[in-house]
Amino acid sequence: RDLHYPLRRQRQMCIRDSFYFNLSVPAFLKIIPGTLFLLFFPGFFLVNLMKIKLENIFEIFTLSFVSSFILFSIFSFVFFIFNINYTAAILFLLVFNQIVFILYKMKSIPPQIKFKIDENKVFFYTFLGLFFFFWILIIIFKGVLTMDGLKYLAFIGKMFYSGNAANLGGFYITNTIDSVNGYNSWLLLITLLSKLIKTEYISVYLFIPVFIMPVTVFSLFYMVEKISNNTQAAFLSAIVFLLFHGLNEGLWIWRTSSYLMIISNFILIPTLIGAIFGLKEEIKYKPLYCGLILFSIATVHLLAFLNTVIILFGILISFYFLEDEKKRLNIFKFLFFGTLFLLPYLFLRFNNTTVESELLNIKANVIEIFSNTFIVDPFKLFVPHYHVKPCFTLRLFYLISIY
């Protein structure tokens, strides 16, 4: 059959176990340190080495996560080019973490807690109560297997069993190159995390939302605080964000936060905007840092990258009316560095793409009417795409924050 075995197996397990996957306590305890190793500590050390002052817990988690992912996006690019063996990739990351940790211990800058709870007591405790309430629900229910989730798991599954980082098409035995989902840093990260902790990748995929959900909230807080320079406004925005997504469609956005769209639109883009407004102009590596965030967005979701470029031009226009020439120049620097890293990545991603491979990718998203095709989800043909509403609300948050 043309349908790849891992995808068939995932569907069988989905039917057998409903949409909950049984995650044992030992596996649960292994995923936590593995996630911190890949998505927190490297970025925390890097931010301190760049002499960026981390002023509160929200900023610490947001910039640590995003900085860790920037590093991994760069490494994944190298892993894909040379088809690096997973064992070698994990050893490389271990050595790199050790080196950065030693440098951090030599030049560390302690976080400086900026806001005072007394001045924001009502907002702070309201936020805290809502945050832990919804986070506990995410811990209980974890992620959910959806049709898009099965698509991502097909790619992860092929990479997981292949033994090395490579652009492997998820749907077909022939390993057709996929220009849409191929060479994806986020999918490779989940694969490497599964290999690192020696845990089945579906379990990892379903547990990741427990770690991602807080970062989506903290990155929104970071963005609003840096734009408005007002902690109360940031708390209020975070409270509205929690209520809207916590009471909307059964925690859908957070339970599907392993999605590429969630990582790019709800974490990376808000952090980039916050960094543009919040990082001091005196920071030597600010243009490079923001450019690398832009690059990492492209390695997750190319459409999100195009959206980000549009957002940057909007910010550029606002700086033009504010007659801030230095900030206008910085926007061009962000675009330059982002594009500089992006061009070789795009060449790698589309170089081997053929007409046949693109037709197969299109065929994988239609109803089964001929041989060698299969059904994905026919109801998608008749209902509005479920990403429209959350994307719209995120843009609304952007507009309110900038205003």
Side-chain angles (χ1 to χ4, degrees):
R1 290 176 62 181
D2 228 11
L3 184 61
H4 185 56
Y5 172 75
L7 185 57
R8 294 202 307 272
R9 180 63 180 150
Q10 287 152 22
R11 290 192 174 185
Q12 289 165 6
M13 287 190 293
C14 184
I15 295 168
R16 184 193 68 200
D17 300 328
S18 182
F19 54 82
Y20 299 105
F21 193 79
N22 184 23
L23 186 61
S24 64
V25 173
F28 180 89
L29 294 176
K30 285 194 294 184
I31 290 174
I32 295 174
T35 307
L36 292 173
F37 169 75
L38 288 177
L39 288 174
F40 180 79
F41 291 125
F44 179 76
F45 302 149
L46 178 67
V47 167
N48 277 273
L49 289 172
M50 292 173 62
K51 298 182 179 179
I52 297 175
K53 292 184 178 180
L54 302 174
E55 297 175 336
N56 55 61
I57 190 69
F58 310 113
E59 196 166 328
I60 290 172
F61 273 94
T62 300
L63 292 184
S64 296
F65 178 95
V66 171
S67 301
S68 297
F69 191 71
I70 287 173
L71 290 171
F72 188 83
S73 297
I74 297 170
F75 296 152
S76 68
F77 182 47
V78 177
F79 296 160
F80 278 129
I81 290 176
F82 297 103
N83 290 341
I84 299 293
N85 179 276
Y86 289 136
T87 303
I90 291 170
L91 285 173
F92 173 82
L93 292 172
L94 284 167
V95 172
F96 177 82
N97 267 6
Q98 287 295 320
I99 293 171
V100 177
F101 174 71
I102 292 169
L103 294 173
Y104 159 75
K105 293 298 289 183
M106 293 169 60
K107 299 182 178 180
S108 62
I109 299 174
Q112 299 179 359
I113 304 302
K114 184 179 179 181
F115 64 84
K116 296 180 180 178
I117 294 178
D118 292 340
E119 297 175 357
N120 306 280
K121 188 176 291 186
V122 175
F123 291 102
F124 177 75
Y125 287 115
T126 303
F127 164 80
L128 210 61
L130 287 171
F131 171 77
F132 279 108
F133 173 73
F134 290 121
W135 193 28
I136 289 169
L137 290 180
I138 298 298
I139 292 172
I140 293 170
F141 292 108
K142 304 182 187 66
V144 58
L145 281 177
T146 62
M147 298 312 298
D148 278 358
L150 290 173
K151 176 179 71 175
Y152 299 143
L153 284 170
F155 282 86
I156 295 168
K158 261 202 171 179
M159 288 193 290
F160 184 87
Y161 291 113
S162 69
N164 62 294
N167 184 20
L168 302 174
F171 300 115
Y172 296 94
I173 294 174
T174 54
N175 286 335
T176 304
I177 300 297
D178 190 325
S179 60
V180 177
N181 298 290
Y183 297 113
N184 191 287
S185 56
W186 179 248
L187 300 183
L188 180 60
L189 186 142
I190 295 178
T191 305
L192 264 180
L193 177 59
S194 304
K195 287 284 187 181
L196 175 66
I197 62 177
K198 298 183 178 179
T199 300
E200 211 281 329
Y201 60 90
I202 299 179
S203 299
V204 175
Y205 182 87
L206 292 180
F207 179 78
I208 280 287
V210 175
F211 190 83
I212 298 299
M213 179 268 184
V215 186
T216 63
V217 181
F218 297 161
S219 59
L220 175 81
F221 182 96
Y222 173 73
M223 179 187 75
V224 177
E225 186 186 41
K226 296 305 178 184
I227 292 175
S228 65
N229 200 26
N230 187 321
T231 305
Q232 288 188 357
F235 274 126
L236 183 60
S237 298
I239 289 168
V240 173
F241 183 80
L242 283 165
L243 286 172
F244 182 86
H245 291 295
L247 303 176
N248 182 38
E249 298 181 348
L251 307 169
W252 183 259
I253 285 299
W254 292 321
R255 293 189 68 200
T256 58
S257 57
S258 299
Y259 275 27
L260 308 181
M261 183 272 293
I262 304 297
I263 301 300
S264 56
N265 287 12
F266 284 77
I267 296 178
L268 297 176
I269 294 178
T271 304
L272 174 61
I273 296 173
I276 290 171
F277 284 90
L279 294 183
K280 303 296 182 184
E281 302 300 326
E282 295 76 24
I283 294 177
K284 187 177 180 180
Y285 303 105
K286 179 178 178 178
L288 176 61
Y289 183 73
C290 292
L292 285 172
I293 297 178
L294 190 60
F295 164 74
S296 64
I297 292 170
T299 66
V300 176
H301 203 302
L302 277 176
L303 288 180
F305 170 80
L306 295 176
N307 285 338
T308 310
V309 172
I310 295 170
I311 292 170
L312 288 177
F313 275 109
I315 295 173
L316 182 65
I317 293 170
S318 70
F319 287 159
Y320 176 81
F321 286 110
L322 293 173
E323 298 183 353
D324 196 326
E325 186 176 348
K326 190 172 183 180
K327 289 184 177 180
R328 288 203 301 270
L329 182 61
N330 273 340
I331 295 292
F332 285 112
K333 289 180 180 178
F334 306 154
L335 290 169
F336 169 76
F337 282 113
T339 307
L340 184 67
F341 283 90
L342 182 63
L343 288 177
Y345 172 78
L346 290 178
F347 176 79
L348 173 70
R349 186 159 173 172
F350 293 102
N351 184 43
N352 296 318
T353 301
T354 63
V355 174
E356 179 190 9
S357 67
E358 291 307 299
L359 288 174
L360 286 175
N361 291 330
I362 294 170
K363 189 168 68 174
N365 288 281
V366 297
I367 301 173
E368 184 175 8
I369 50 178
F370 300 108
S371 61
N372 298 324
T373 61
F374 60 93
I375 293 175
V376 173
D377 185 357
F379 290 104
K380 283 187 179 179
L381 298 175
F382 308 107
V383 297
H385 200 274
Y386 55 82
H387 288 174
V388 172
K389 184 158 50 174
C391 286
F392 173 77
T393 57
L394 186 67
R395 283 163 178 73
L396 190 62
F397 273 112
Y398 289 161
L399 290 173
I400 292 171
S401 301
I402 292 172
Y403 178 76

